[in-house]
Amino acid sequence: MFKIVLSLALLFPALAIAVPYCSDIFTDPPTGDHGENGLTPPANIGPPLGDLNCTRKRGCDNSTSGYFLPGDYSFSEGNFHGGGPSLVNHITTNGTTARLYFDRVSLSGVSLNTYGKAEDLIIYVREDLTIAGHNHINGIIYVVGNVSLTGNGSVTGGLAAGGSAGVGGNGDFVFDEEAIDNADFGGMCIPGPKPDLNHYRLEFSSGALSCKAKDILIRACADEYCATETSVLSSVDLTKNGGVYSTVNFAGHTVPAAELWHADGGTVLVGLGATAPSAPYRCFIDGLEVANIADCQLTFEDTGFYFDAPDTISYKDSGQFELFAATKDPVTQKCESLFKNQTKSVDFSFNYKDPNPVNNPASLMLTAPTQSKVIAGGDTESVSVKFDAEGKALLTVNYPEAGEVTLKASHTHTVNTPNGSEELVLEHQDSFVAKPAGFHFFNESANNRCASSDPYDADCKVLAKAGESFDMRLKAAGWTSDEDSDFSDNPVLQNFKHSNIQIQAAVEAPSLADGGTNGSFSTSAVDFNLSGSESSQLISQSWTEVGTLTAKLTQDISYLGVTISKDNASSELFGRFTPAYLDISGNSPSLTHSCGSFTYIDQPFGFSGGGEPIIQVRGMASDDSEARNYQLGDWWRYKHKEEASRNQWLGRGYEDKTGELQVQDSEYPGLSGSVSYANNANTATLTGAKVEYVRLPTPMVPFDAKFDLKLAVTDLTDEDGICYQADSSGSCQPFSFEDIADGASFELRYGRLQLDNGYSPQSESLRLPLRTEYVSAVDAANVPTWVTNGDDSCSVYNTVTSTDTTEAVTTGMNMTLPAGFPAITAHSNDELTSQSGTALQGVNHIYFTAPNTPGEVRLKQHVEPWLKWYWNYDGNKPNALYDPRASAFFGTYRGHDKVIYWHEVN
């Protein structure tokens, strides 16, 4: 026999009061008049412990000795007395939270919980309490009656009252919000912030049996349409005919639904009484809101159909549920079945509830023990149902769509009476939700794809820049398998509607293990609402990062009262994504002189070690935030994967800032040096580059260098054509290392090397003087003053015999010998063993071997361009550089230039 046993506890539940939020009770300043909405002790706070008497001399005489671990302690009176010049601590806590309940409390010269935390002590007083004089409590105090804090009394923590609450005189109250949040109130109030609550909803179907509990769904709605439920704890009083029936605590919605019994039968008014947090409520019967709360009524019949269709997954057979016809036994008040071992024709109606109307008018498959029927929306089908020995028939449904739908069963039952027979219509209607099995994120068909997550793979194409809009699609998917985790090929659900679906990006490459970051979507909340024949939701999306990604749900979805796990989502790979633009920052390069403390004009000079030009290249998103994934591995596409293909700044150049001379690369029109890359710092460094100031025929005095190194747009563009910009709205632009050497006293001198004629007997070596000079001054007539460059101990010369008579070469000694004159060689030392010399403080000599033949040898010393000068030896080339020239005279000795008179003595 099918039985439903009625519980007296369910028929006559104890009255209860909704639990308030702690933040509503304990405020700054303290509040009173909480009355019935205040704190109520838990039902079981332990056995009475008598009085708690504490004095300075004896301490506390109770078994607790004033030392309290977390838990509940119930006392009659609390008497705390100190005496003497200083406050005495009478309560010590150890952990969160000791809750002490008193009928009355008296205080005199004491400090309670001096060394603990305020959240570790709660004092609950059932009558009035006055805190005055020199008394201090470090804890949370709730007084059912009136509380007064005055005199020199002080409280740190929280203070509230069911009656009045006042702080006056010299009373000192310090509110500790963290203590309220952290304390364990033992269920007397709900911790944490109050939810953003719009209203509550009561939802139930029409029709109920007086011999069975009726399910009432209660929802806490965060918006007017209840598209989102609150996630924090709510506490409400469910009422029947205006009286409190039960107190229900839940988060979001009741799971399971609240139960309501009414054994007497007839119509009752269903409602909500006290609610915490406080909010109005609305009533929905069979999915329709009643116009007036007074119409939130439910009729309990003594005879009728009953079934409870379970929520299910779209395209999946539901769990079996029982259909039974019952009548209440007038004696036992129990439900007795009507159709034991009988087969009846039952009419089943199927209708759309939410959404209604629908995009896809899918039909419902209903399976009974002897027959299955497909029922179209809005239609009714007669199904032959066989009831078992207990009068039950097990049914299943399969709805290949998403949403809330209603199933109604009806049967006309003939009852024999003394006067003949009567027809009794048995009806019951229930709603159930078919939720998606999962979701799938996928690319718009026109999207570029990246198959490998390798930015150098030809099949890894660019989808968008960081922060640039692209199209993403999301579909709701029906069930195919319980083990399914890839919903890409699952059937599409067109009726699913839901707002504020929270989604987030999950970086695929560079991976989190490699330092990648997920970044964020511009659209993180999706309103899913298809129309017509649409099969997926279009999302206009952007991502703040570089790389490839998948999309995922951020949190579980509360859909029409059921939960869809955030893990039930799959995603295609999206990407790849590049930076929107590059951000370039450079160092302040420093220079190294080519000759000690100065450099000659025309002489190449370089950048000092550690002072080479360096740029750091960062990828940026369109919102001008850094796209950090760009800086990782091969995703830093400013540096090409292959060394031979890396950007060498071929568009670089130099610009003088002194106004004196042109500055250029030493290999102009070519370029010296090379660019090296460091992945760990995402830097590019110009190494080995040489720069020179270009000399003109017009002599000039020394000046300090100052110039810019300019990088062209192409030097600052990566492999995807992403270039350096000031911001996302700008255009590609060059970059300059500005005012290099400014303030560094990097002196440039206009110089030359000078040879003097030399004289010697033909049988001896000839010594010929040389010196390096620079222009120290230029007069008004543009006549320079040349002085020996005493700072020059670096200029080199080579005296190996050269047959080159041009001015192009830079080493060797060209000698024009008289006819018949023997070959001689030039050397840099008087031992005639070396042919490479260096100026010493601007001077030195060249030594020639003895020819043993008289004659004049014309000399041309090939030197570097900065030591040549505009000698115009030919008389018609004033703007051409010449090597220094002189003559060596053998067979003639004119004496030393500094000897005035010289003669031979015996």
Side-chain angles (χ1 to χ4, degrees), residues 376-644:
D379 287 355
T380 300
E381 295 286 345
S382 181
V383 179
S384 178
V385 179
K386 182 178 181 180
F387 294 86
D388 63 16
E390 293 183 339
K392 298 181 295 182
L394 296 179
L395 309 179
T396 62
V397 291
N398 187 309
Y399 180 50
E401 256 298 346
E404 186 174 10
V405 296
T406 59
L407 181 65
K408 181 179 180 179
S410 62
H411 173 74
T412 301
H413 178 55
T414 301
V415 180
N416 295 321
T417 68
N419 299 321
S421 63
E422 291 183 4
E423 289 188 343
L424 182 64
V425 178
L426 307 181
E427 287 186 341
H428 182 70
Q429 175 177 293
D430 191 30
S431 299
F432 67 91
V433 174
K435 67 180 180 180
F439 299 89
H440 184 64
F441 297 89
F442 61 100
N443 282 279
E444 180 73 18
S445 59
N447 284 4
N448 282 336
R449 315 293 176 93
C450 178
S452 65
S453 285
D454 178 359
Y456 285 89
D457 191 312
D459 291 329
C460 189
K461 297 180 173 60
V462 174
L463 172 58
K465 297 176 180 178
E468 182 180 35
S469 179
F470 68 96
D471 287 337
M472 170 185 286
R473 285 199 171 269
L474 174 63
K475 78 170 186 179
W479 178 88
T480 59
S481 166
D482 286 341
E483 288 72 38
D484 203 359
S485 60
D486 179 4
F487 302 98
S488 61
D489 57 353
N490 291 44
V492 170
L493 305 177
Q494 295 176 268
N495 295 344
F496 176 77
K497 295 180 185 295
H498 196 69
S499 62
N500 200 35
I501 298 175
Q502 299 295 310
I503 66 173
Q504 65 185 16
V507 66
E508 184 73 16
S511 68
L512 294 176
D514 291 333
T517 183
N518 286 323
S520 60
F521 280 147
S522 60
T523 302
S524 58
V526 178
D527 291 335
F528 197 107
N529 189 4
L530 306 183
S531 60
S533 61
E534 289 180 328
S535 59
S536 61
Q537 181 67 50
L538 178 64
I539 306 169
S540 181
Q541 191 63 277
S542 67
W543 188 41
T544 58
E545 267 300 342
V546 166
T548 59
L549 68 95
T550 57
K552 60 192 296 187
L553 299 179
T554 304
Q555 59 190 29
D556 294 347
I557 297 174
S558 178
Y559 173 61
L560 300 175
V562 299
T563 299
I564 305 171
S565 171
K566 66 179 181 179
D567 298 325
N568 290 355
S570 58
S571 175
E572 281 187 355
L573 194 66
F574 292 87
R576 64 182 166 89
F577 295 84
T578 70
Y581 66 97
L582 301 182
D583 174 69
I584 306 292
S585 58
N587 66 337
S588 297
S590 56
L591 305 176
T592 297
H593 272 301
S594 295
C595 192
S597 62
F598 73 97
T599 297
Y600 285 110
I601 298 172
D602 256 358
Q603 184 178 20
F605 55 88
F607 297 95
S608 60
E612 298 95 341
I614 302 174
I615 59 171
Q616 185 177 51
V617 183
R618 299 187 303 156
M620 307 296 289
S622 62
D623 63 356
D624 299 323
S625 65
E626 182 179 357
R628 292 188 292 171
N629 291 347
Y630 183 69
Q631 278 65 258
L632 300 175
D634 289 342
W635 293 97
W636 191 48
R637 282 172 59 81
Y638 180 71
K639 171 192 173 184
H640 196 281
K641 190 175 185 179
E642 303 298 332
E643 185 172 356

Side-chain angles (χ1 to χ4, degrees), residues 332-351:
T332 66
Q333 302 291 301
K334 299 175 183 178
C335 284
E336 298 287 347
S337 60
L338 291 177
F339 301 145
K340 298 176 183 178
N341 294 317
Q342 299 181 45
T343 299
K344 298 290 183 180
S345 179
V346 180
D347 292 333
F348 286 94
S349 302
F350 164 62
N351 283 285

Side-chain angles (χ1 to χ4, degrees), residues 525-836:
V526 178
D527 291 335
F528 197 107
N529 189 4
L530 306 183
S531 60
S533 61
E534 289 180 328
S535 59
S536 61
Q537 181 67 50
L538 178 64
I539 306 169
S540 181
Q541 191 63 277
S542 67
W543 188 41
T544 58
E545 267 300 342
V546 166
T548 59
L549 68 95
T550 57
K552 60 192 296 187
L553 299 179
T554 304
Q555 59 190 29
D556 294 347
I557 297 174
S558 178
Y559 173 61
L560 300 175
V562 299
T563 299
I564 305 171
S565 171
K566 66 179 181 179
D567 298 325
N568 290 355
S570 58
S571 175
E572 281 187 355
L573 194 66
F574 292 87
R576 64 182 166 89
F577 295 84
T578 70
Y581 66 97
L582 301 182
D583 174 69
I584 306 292
S585 58
N587 66 337
S588 297
S590 56
L591 305 176
T592 297
H593 272 301
S594 295
C595 192
S597 62
F598 73 97
T599 297
Y600 285 110
I601 298 172
D602 256 358
Q603 184 178 20
F605 55 88
F607 297 95
S608 60
E612 298 95 341
I614 302 174
I615 59 171
Q616 185 177 51
V617 183
R618 299 187 303 156
M620 307 296 289
S622 62
D623 63 356
D624 299 323
S625 65
E626 182 179 357
R628 292 188 292 171
N629 291 347
Y630 183 69
Q631 278 65 258
L632 300 175
D634 289 342
W635 293 97
W636 191 48
R637 282 172 59 81
Y638 180 71
K639 171 192 173 184
H640 196 281
K641 190 175 185 179
E642 303 298 332
E643 185 172 356
S645 300
R646 291 172 187 166
N647 193 325
Q648 291 298 312
W649 298 357
L650 299 182
R652 70 182 186 265
Y654 302 89
E655 181 179 294
D656 172 61
K657 300 294 283 291
T658 67
E660 300 288 348
L661 293 172
Q662 176 185 336
V663 64
Q664 64 186 24
D665 193 282
S666 65
E667 296 183 9
Y668 181 84
L671 291 170
S672 60
S674 62
V675 179
S676 59
Y677 292 80
N679 265 74
N680 57 339
N682 302 108
T683 58
T685 304
L686 178 62
T687 58
K690 296 289 185 179
V691 188
E692 64 185 17
Y693 270 86
V694 181
R695 183 164 54 166
L696 297 176
T698 303
M700 59 194 316
V701 297
F703 66 94
D704 290 341
K706 184 169 75 169
F707 61 91
D708 294 345
L709 166 57
K710 292 182 171 291
L711 304 184
V713 168
T714 54
D715 300 332
L716 308 168
T717 302
D718 76 0
E719 297 301 317
D720 291 311
I722 308 302
C723 63
Y724 166 53
Q725 298 174 199
D727 52 46
S728 60
S729 62
S731 56
C732 298
Q733 64 182 41
F735 177 85
S736 293
F737 296 90
E738 296 184 344
D739 296 336
I740 296 174
D742 185 25
S745 300
F746 192 85
E747 184 176 299
L748 294 161
R749 295 181 180 180
Y750 190 100
R752 68 184 183 186
L753 188 143
Q754 174 80 284
L755 294 181
D756 288 340
N757 292 334
Y759 303 87
S760 175
Q762 63 195 44
S763 59
E764 295 182 11
S765 171
L766 183 146
R767 185 180 71 174
L768 185 141
L770 66 79
R771 62 185 176 276
T772 56
E773 299 177 329
Y774 73 96
V775 174
S776 63
V778 178
D779 64 16
N782 209 32
V783 176
T785 298
W786 292 93
V787 296
T788 299
N789 193 351
D791 295 325
D792 187 348
S793 293
C794 59
S795 291
V796 297
Y797 53 94
N798 181 280
T799 61
V800 174
T801 301
S802 171
T803 59
D804 192 312
T805 61
T806 70
E807 311 300 328
V809 297
T810 59
T811 63
M813 172 69 76
N814 177 259
M815 294 180 281
T816 302
L817 305 176
F821 200 83
I824 60 174
T825 56
H827 297 269
S828 58
N829 61 343
D830 55 6
E831 292 87 359
L832 306 179
T833 58
S834 175
Q835 292 186 296
S836 178

